[in-house]
Structure formats: structure tokens, C-alpha cells
């Protein structure tokens, strides 16, 4: 007899493992299939997906290490702290990152045991549908076919590679190889000035690499509010990132001596970048092949995404849902998690809701960039009358004390109703500060609400309050 489940989740990343836990909390008999072993020493599938194994968590560990290094080497003296020469043991830094990853993925295994979720180790693909539900083949060390009344597809995404540019994850790396450098490259090239390129480019720059970024688009961080993008480009350039916009990548050669990237610059001139290592971070593509979707009548769209109902994450196959990077919307771990919870609750007959306009975005550069809601350019384009308030960290005592006074907060509010339409932050701890704005927007708060709420002093959060006050030209400390 094959194992039978109420809910089978395919993929153990943030979308999948959270969906499995929520479904178990709701009383379902749940299994989660995972096949990717990443660098597991025993070759066992690892839970946590891209985020925990080769994305958010390891990159943030390296960001923290490189920030400490930069602080000690360059900023300790500002505090009157004298240090001798500072060096980095990159092997140890990478080992620390690996230990954090191992701890976190092990933590999910514990959560599975706690919630009585069956972990099916192997690649899952649909075989068809019978009277008892969907038949799904699990192809691992043991091969079996299980049945499930409901299936949540949460198989995530993989790095997009460029034609003619083979990634070996030694010299030419995507996000996976770029987290494993065991020495600091003297010259590092990055193709794509997006989230990954800027985060990882910053890590290695802080540790001493000379970093050159090549970006196809003419404008920097096009998804950000224009004034934030402008400030970011100015600050990152000042820090030493060599950013080239509007380039066209030509042929790339790699040999023992390093990598040579031929490209055309924004003026149309032929140019060449020689580097020891190259990171290719030009977006990601959904993992929707080899799932046997055709066996249950599902088709992906032209970009490989699974079409779903926007409100329920339901596919056109009854009882099959899809969440996270395999469906429309931003490829963000927290968006995937919320959709995982939503899908489990829809299966349980509940009526959950996600307001996609209130999903915060974060780029973990230094300073961090975070935003929620509409950008100023989007409001202009939509013809919405708005007012803007901006306040710099430079005028905040806590930021000055921390030696982290670069950047500002910008609040955009409806000109008539004062409802907050967007909040944009470039500055210290932006990733934490944006949570207040997300809560405010979920509750349809007005800028006046944030302005009236007592914020702790001295704290960085006062800058958010002052920016809200500034929408009405009544910032108190400027
Ligand atoms: P991205 O979409 O953020 O940036 C890719 C960049 O590469 C774009 O600026 C694009 O114009 C450029 N590009 C594309 N083709 C190019 C070419 N041929 N030559 C030069 N430039 C080219 O993608 P990225 O950085 O790879 O990240 C992938 C996904 O992972 C993103 O969707 C992001 O949301 C997610 N992610 C999120 C993080 C966070 O929330 N902090 C951290 C890391 C990744």
C-alpha cells in the first residue's frame, strides 16, 4: 500500500516547509518532498531551499562578517579604538557561514518531527490522478509512489545563466559558487547590478576585492524609488564599487589566469574587464520542469511560471496549488512563506488574504535599502496626487552615535486622504525599520498616524516618524 496524505508539499524551501507546518497545524496528514542535497556531507536532501542553503541566510552571514571586518579596519579609529593590522581568514569565515546553514536546516527537520510531517527524500513528479487523489512519484534512494488529496508545488527557482557563459562555480559563479570563495579575489567582476550582484559584490569589496559591476540597463536599481536608487549609486560608488550601466556583454573567456569579459560600454565602445572571478547574477528562473505537470493537465506560461488564481494560489488542477518563486510576483522568501500559509489555509476552507502591495523589499547592502508600497515614479505614472516627506539619518542622534548616518527615509502619502502609499529607506537597519511601515500600510494608516505615535528616543525609528511629519512640512528636528 502506498503512503497516502491529505497534503503533499513539493519542495522544502521557505514556501514549502512553512506550507507543510501550517497544514499540519490545521490537522492534516502532511508530507514534504525534497531532493536537493546542496553540499550536505552525507548527500542527504537538505531542507530550507535556496534561502537557507545558498541564498538569504549564508549571504547574510558573509555580509555580517565582512561588515565586522570593515568596521574594525576602517571605523574603529573613529571611536578612538586602536587596532593593529587586520586580516581575514576567509576559510574560517566561510566555515562559520556553513555552520549557521547546517544549524538552520537541522532546525527545520526538528520542526517537521514536532509537527509530525513526513519528509520524503527524493525528486517528486506527478504520475496522474486516481480516486484517492494525485499519484506522485518520489525518486530518491528509495523509489515510491505516494497519493495526496492536495498538492502544494513550492519548487523554487534557479539562477538564470547567459548563453555562451558556462557557470562552473569556481571561476564563473552564480549565487552558489559566490558564497564559497575560500580566498578574497583580487579583482572580482559581477554581471547584473541587481540584488545578488550588489549584496555579494559588497561582501567581497569590503574584504579587499576590486569589484566591477556590469549592468545591461541604463538606470541603476530600476525597481527602487528613483531618489533611493540615486543615493545608493552615489554611496556605493564612493565606497569603491565600480558600476558600469548600459553595457552589452560580448564573449567571455576563462582560463587558469582568470576571466576576461568583452563588452560594449554605454557609449558603444568596445571594452574589456579582466578579473580573477566572475559572478553572474542576472535573475532567476522557476523550477517547473521535470515535475510531470502535463500528467495532470497543467501547463506553464512562456517564462516557465505556473498560472494560478491570484487570490488562492490554486492552479487549474483541482486541489493543486503553487506558491513562491514558481508563480507570479517577487522572488522573495517572505512572499513565498505567506503564500505557503495561504495555500494551506485555503485547503482547510479558510479565506486568507495577501495584500501584495504591502510586501516589503530589502537589499542587504551597506547601507541597507528597504521599501514597501509604491515608488514616487509609479505614483506619478498613475496620476495619483501625493505628498512626499524625507528625513536624513544625519539629523538623528542614534545614527550619529552609531557612526551610521548615511541615507534617509522617504514617506509618500495620498495628497487628499493622507493614507501612506509608500515608504522608502536607505540607511542603517532599513530591513527592520521597514516593518513599521508594512504594519502601517496593512492597517491603511495615514502619515499622521505614524507622526502621532510615540517613538523611542534615541532610536533610528525616529527618522521614520520625522519623514511622516515631513509629508506635512512639520519635521521637528530639521
Ligand atoms: P535581479 O533581477 O535582482 O537583478 C538582475 C540584474 O541583472 C538586473 O538589473 C538586470 O537588468 C541585469 N541583467 C540581466 N541580464 C543582463 C545581461 N545580459 N548583462 C548585464 N546585466 C544583465 O536578479 P538577481 O540579483 O540575480 O536576484 C535574483 C532574485 O533573487 C531576485 O528576484 C531577488 O528578488 C531574489 N533575491 C532577493 C534578495 C533579497 O530579498 N535581499 C537577495 C538575493 C536574491
Amino acid at each position: 500500500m502506498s503512503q497516502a496524505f491529505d497534503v503533499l508539499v513539493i519542495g522544502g524551501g521557505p514556501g514549502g516547509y512553512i506550507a507543510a507546518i501550517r497544514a499540519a497545524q490545521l490537522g492534516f496528514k502532511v508530507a514534504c518532498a525534497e531532493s536537493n542535497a546542496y553540499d550536505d556531507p552525507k548527500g542527504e536532501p537538505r531542507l530550507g531551499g535556496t534561502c537557507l542553503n545558498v541564498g538569504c541566510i549564508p549571504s547574510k552571514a558573509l555580509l555580517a562578517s565582512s561588515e565586522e571586518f570593515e568596521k574594525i579596519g576602517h571605523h574603529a579609529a573613529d571611536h578612538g579604538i586602536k587596532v593593529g593590522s587586520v586580516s581575514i581568514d576567509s576559510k574560517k569565515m566561510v566555515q562559520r557561514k556553513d555552520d549557521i546553514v547546517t544549524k538552520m536546516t537541522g532546525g527545520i527537520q526538528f520542526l517537521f518531527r514536532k509537527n509530525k510531517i513526513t519528509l520524503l527524500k527524493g525528486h517528486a513528479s506527478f504520475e496522474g490522478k486516481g480516486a484517492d487523489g494525485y499519484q506522485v512519484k518520489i525518486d530518491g534512494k528509495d523509489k515510491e509512489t505516494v497519493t495526496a488529496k492536495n498538492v502544494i508545488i513550492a519548487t523554487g527557482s534557479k539562477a538564470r545563466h547567459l548563453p555562451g557563459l558556462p557557470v562552473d562555480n569556481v571561476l564563473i559563479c552564480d549565487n552558489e559558487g559566490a558564497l564559497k570563495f575560500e580566498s578574497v579575489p583580487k579583482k572580482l567582476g559581477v554581471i547584473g547590478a541587481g540584488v545578488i550582484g550588489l549584496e555579494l559584490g559588497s561582501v567581497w569589496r569590503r574584504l579587499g576585492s576590486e569589484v566591477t559591476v556590469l549592468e545591461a540597463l541604463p538606470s541603476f536599481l530600476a525597481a527602487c524609488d528613483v531618489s533611493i536608487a540615486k543615493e545608493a549609486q552615489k554611496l556605493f560608488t564612493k565606497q569603491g564599487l565600480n558600476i558600469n550601466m548600459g553595457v552589452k556583454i560580448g564573449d567571455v573567456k576563462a582560463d587558469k589566469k582568470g576571466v576576461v569579459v568583452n563588452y560594449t560600454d554605454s557609449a558603444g565602445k568596445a571594452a574589456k574587464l579582466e578579473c580573477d572571478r566572475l559572478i553572474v547574477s542576472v535573475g532567476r528562473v522557476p523550477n517547473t520542469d521535470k515535475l510531470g505537470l502535463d500528467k495532470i493537465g497543467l501547463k506553464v506560461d512562456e517564462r516557465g511560471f505556473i498560472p494560478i488564481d491570484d487570490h488562492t494560489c490554486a492552479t487549474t488542477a483541482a486541489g493543486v496549488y503553487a506558491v513562491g518563486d514558481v508563480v507570479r510576483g517577487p522572488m522573495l522568501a517572505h512572499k513565498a512563506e505567506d503564500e505557503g500559509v495561504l495555500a494551506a489555509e485555503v485547503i482547510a476552507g479558510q479565506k486568507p488574504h495577501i495584500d501584495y502591495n504591502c510586501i516589503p523589499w530589502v537589499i542587504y547592502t551597506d547601507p541597507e535599502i528597504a521599501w514597501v508600497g509604491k515608488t514616487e515614479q509609479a505614483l506619478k505614472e498613475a496620476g495619483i496626487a501625493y505628498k512626499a516627506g524625507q528625513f536624513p539619518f544625519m539629523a538623528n542622534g542614534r545614527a550619529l552615535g552609531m557612526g551610521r548616518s548615511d541615507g534617509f527615509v522617504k514617506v509618500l502619502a495620498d495628497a487628499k486622504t493622507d493614507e501612506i502609499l509608500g515608504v522608502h529607506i536607505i540607511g542603517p537597519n532599513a530591513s527592520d525599520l521597514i516593518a513599521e511601515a508594512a504594519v502601517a500600510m496593512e492597517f491603511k494608516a495615514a502619515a499622521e498616524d505614524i507622526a502621532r505615535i510615540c517613538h523611542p528616543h534615541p532610536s533610528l525609528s525616529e527618522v521614520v516618524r520625522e519623514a511622516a511629519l515631513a509629508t506635512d512640512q512639520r519635521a521637528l528636528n530639521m
Side-chain angles (χ1 to χ4, degrees), residues 60 160 162 191-197 199 214-217 247 249 281-284 331-332 334 361-364:
K60 261 82 269 174
R160 183 167 83 87
L162 292 172
I191 299 183
V195 199
I196 294 180
E199 290 185 6
L214 303 175
E215 163 63 45
L217 289 178
V247 310
I249 304 294
S281 47
V282 292
R284 298 181 64 81
M331 287 183 168
L332 298 171
H334 44 283
W361 292 69
V362 182
I363 307 178
Y364 293 86

Side-chain angles (χ1 to χ4, degrees), residues 99-174:
D99 292 345
I100 292 171
V101 169
T102 302
K103 200 168 173 183
M104 296 285 295
T105 59
I108 305 177
Q109 296 231 17
F110 161 78
L111 291 174
F112 272 22
R113 285 193 296 274
K114 183 179 155 207
N115 287 283
K116 302 190 173 46
I117 296 162
T118 303
L119 172 59
L120 301 170
K121 298 177 180 177
H123 177 86
S125 60
F126 287 98
E127 286 199 315
K129 192 180 181 192
D132 299 332
Y134 290 95
Q135 289 127 6
V136 181
K137 184 168 77 178
I138 310 293
D139 198 354
K141 273 186 201 145
D142 304 316
K143 294 184 191 352
E144 63 174 321
T145 294
V146 301
T147 57
K149 290 190 193 111
N150 299 280
V151 180
I152 300 174
I153 303 169
T155 43
S157 60
K158 55 180 165 287
R160 183 167 83 87
H161 293 168
L162 292 172
L165 218 169
V167 167
D168 61 5
N169 272 328
V170 180
L171 282 179
I172 302 179
C173 302
D174 57 23

Side-chain angles (χ1 to χ4, degrees), residues 177-191:
L179 292 166
K180 288 197 263 193
F181 295 171
E182 288 210 335
S183 61
V184 180
K186 221 165 150 224
K187 285 188 176 182
L188 175 66
V190 177
I191 299 183

